[in-house]
Amino acid sequence: MIWNYFKISWRTFWKNRTISLVNVLGLAIGLVVTLLIVLYVAHEYSYDRFHANGRRIVKVELRHEEGERSYSAPTMSYRFGETVKAACPGVDDFARLTEKGFNSKLIQSDADHKAFESDFRFADPGILRLFSFQLLTGDPKTVLTRPATVVLTERMARKYFGDADPLGKTILYDKVHRLQVVGVVKNPPFNSSIQFDFLGDMTTHRAIERNWHAGFLGEKKADEIQESVGTGGSYETYFLLSAQAITHDIEQKIPSLLSKEETIKDGRDRYRLYPLFDYHFRFQNLTYKRVGIFSVVGGLILLLALINYVSLTTARSTIRAKEISIRKVVGAARKALVVQFYLESALYVTLAFCFAMLIFTVLQPVFCNTLQITIDPNFLTSPFFLIPTAGFFVLSILLSGSYPALLLSGFSPIQSLKGKFSAAGSALWIRKGLTVFQFTVSIALMIGSILIKNQLDLFLQKDLGIDRERVVTVHLDPEDGLDKYGKAIRAEINQLKGVESVAASTLLMYGPFSSSWQLKRMDGKKKVIATTYTVDGEFIETMNIKWAIASQKGLNWANTNQIVLNESAAKQLGVNSKNYEQRLDLGRGMTKTVVGVVKDFNFMTMAYGIAPMALFVGSDTTFRDYLYIKLAKGAPTSETLASIQQVYDRYKTAKPFAYAFLDHTYRQLYVNELSMGKIILALTGFAILIACLGLFGLATFTAEQRTKEIGVRKVLGASVTNIVRLLSVDFLKLVLISIGIATPIAGYVMKNWLQDFAYKVELSWWVFALAGSLAVFIALLTVGFQSIRAALMNPVTSLRSE
């Protein structure tokens, strides 16, 4: 019986090949989009869920709530974890992990195997107790318990020791510290929020850290920092909670455990414990928003594809009515007919799914590259991907088959054989409603795509108040010893043909790292937290930053105790042209004198307004990790860069020359928005294609149904234009209705989306007009092709057709 149903389904498919292929292609496109979205959403949701103890692990951060500028301090002091564990019965264990370093370190196993690595981190032995990182070789009870030891990942073991067993061998860390390999762990999966290539022991790191602090702050201060409890450290701290632990109680207990200098003084600060399973997916706001947007759009596109199937299937109800009626007359039960139509849906969906998997295989690398995510190959066979994929496959069969099965199996055989179809009228209105829905979604996505592009153009083209054009940044890595030659390198580069000027700073503007200080007036009346950059005297002029209040006495940049505020910081501190020459307290016994105020400029993403900012300005004898090299107008870029490299290579020790254009660095701030814009644009294209396929199928079927009518009209003198207008006008009305529905919906959604940005484009009328015009043009093009074909048919042939 089932086999007989399949044969009937295949014959029906083959007999109506054009409509069937339109159905399969539409479903395949919808399923491809769904599979890609499922891949992304499942991968983001699966972060850290491979850890066996993950439900009980939390990460501690200090959260500062200040409106849209809320932020977290993600690292704690060394003593923080053990102090909290000792004071809170609900904490069973803890682990510390140093944050990813600002500079890469030179790692060497022998003369032939050395490289600069950025993922060298130090950790407690607890890192392998709390987390399920698989130790392949080494003793899990003693690993990282001894000083001068290190654990490698598989890839690093192979990179530095080839096929040889690395256990017991040594590597040289940062040219000084020789560490013995005591274990090899499996590479962390890409859906792990904790990534590393090396794990060094904590004792070694403590010694390195103390020497660093002592060199700048003195022995006494270094000891105080080592023993403090609070945020004054570089350790990501994780707790393993007992099953009975109450997170809120631990959060409330923490402030009483802090060292005196780390006591919470701002009511907007609060220590938070973030569940590990939710940390990446829910508490990284951008990820959560993007997952939500893609899920909604992906679901709508799959729904559009299913609507195509339902619409085209019900459109053919008048043709299949007699077939169904005859089968009922000879004894077929309604249940058998329902099964028949579900099997037809299963056939269409299965064929579409096979095509979708082929297309998915091709598009997956492009999709992942656009979103800048990396997915482990074995993730495609994990339950996180397979279960929702199977669920959507079954759901597609059920949704696509339910309405046709219930509608077509319910025909009255007597009425059908007489040519009267009780369901035809309602089916017609349903098809029109489905078509309106398809184009409403497509038009709304078009409006969204245009506005997203306009918003990104605003970010990338707006005047920032700083000159980022023709500026090349070069990192003089202190770990490679280049900072010692910074003054000489800079002087030589400044003499090069094609170089206009050279400045220096400790940080890369628009880069991943920043520095903040609390600035306070000496009278204690005003204070502000400001982002700070340590720069040399040429920085302001090289970057073309404008003065709002300039010193009348002239500036002596040899004095390193000078500070320049931006207008936002000056306003909050109550600094103006009459009182700007005052000293500010920066804490830890440090003070600086305000020597001027510069006009506000964007030094971070334009998603936010301009925040308080300060420049610590002095001579180039202090830290200067980055050179800002402004190229002369019209200078040949490649030749000038080659000359800069020649200067660099004369001083380098091991690290190869690398540069970045500041404009490109700025553009990287919006990499997530740019990738989202590209994906939304692609999804909009898919939605339009699916809607057009549905419209093409309906136009084809309508032309077939009205073949004789067209023939009669042509015999009576109707022109091709009249026939095309006759067949197109009904579809055009549906598109116009869609425009009327989509415009306010898209306007409301995009207005809310734009509220997240301090700088935003206006909802101009031309955006909606453009989207509507494109929809009308695409619809006319789709329907017009089939209409012209029908209008050009020989009327004699049309009138002879059955």
Side-chain angles (χ1 to χ4, degrees), residues 290-302:
R290 191 159 69 171
V291 163
I293 292 171
F294 286 174
S295 297
V296 170
V297 176
L300 286 174
I301 289 177
L302 178 61

Side-chain angles (χ1 to χ4, degrees), residues 275-291:
L276 180 67
F277 280 177
D278 293 337
Y279 184 75
H280 175 83
F281 188 70
R282 292 189 63 85
F283 297 112
Q284 292 191 358
N285 199 35
L286 181 61
T287 297
Y288 194 57
K289 284 185 177 180
R290 191 159 69 171
V291 163

Side-chain angles (χ1 to χ4, degrees), residues 514-541:
S514 63
S515 173
S516 296
W517 286 77
Q518 180 175 275
L519 312 179
K520 187 170 65 173
R521 287 176 48 162
M522 298 301 289
D523 57 17
K525 294 180 180 179
K526 299 281 187 178
K527 65 180 180 180
V528 64
I529 295 177
T531 300
T532 58
Y533 293 90
T534 301
V535 301
D536 66 1
E538 284 71 31
F539 187 86
I540 293 175
E541 183 178 354

Side-chain angles (χ1 to χ4, degrees), residues 392-404:
F392 275 109
F393 176 74
V394 174
L395 185 65
S396 297
I397 293 174
L398 294 176
L399 291 180
S400 62
S402 294
Y403 182 72

Side-chain angles (χ1 to χ4, degrees), residues 618-638:
S619 68
D620 60 2
T621 57
T622 55
F623 292 121
R624 296 293 177 263
D625 292 351
Y626 284 92
L627 293 182
Y628 288 68
I629 306 166
K630 176 174 280 189
L631 306 184
K633 288 184 178 179
T637 303
S638 57

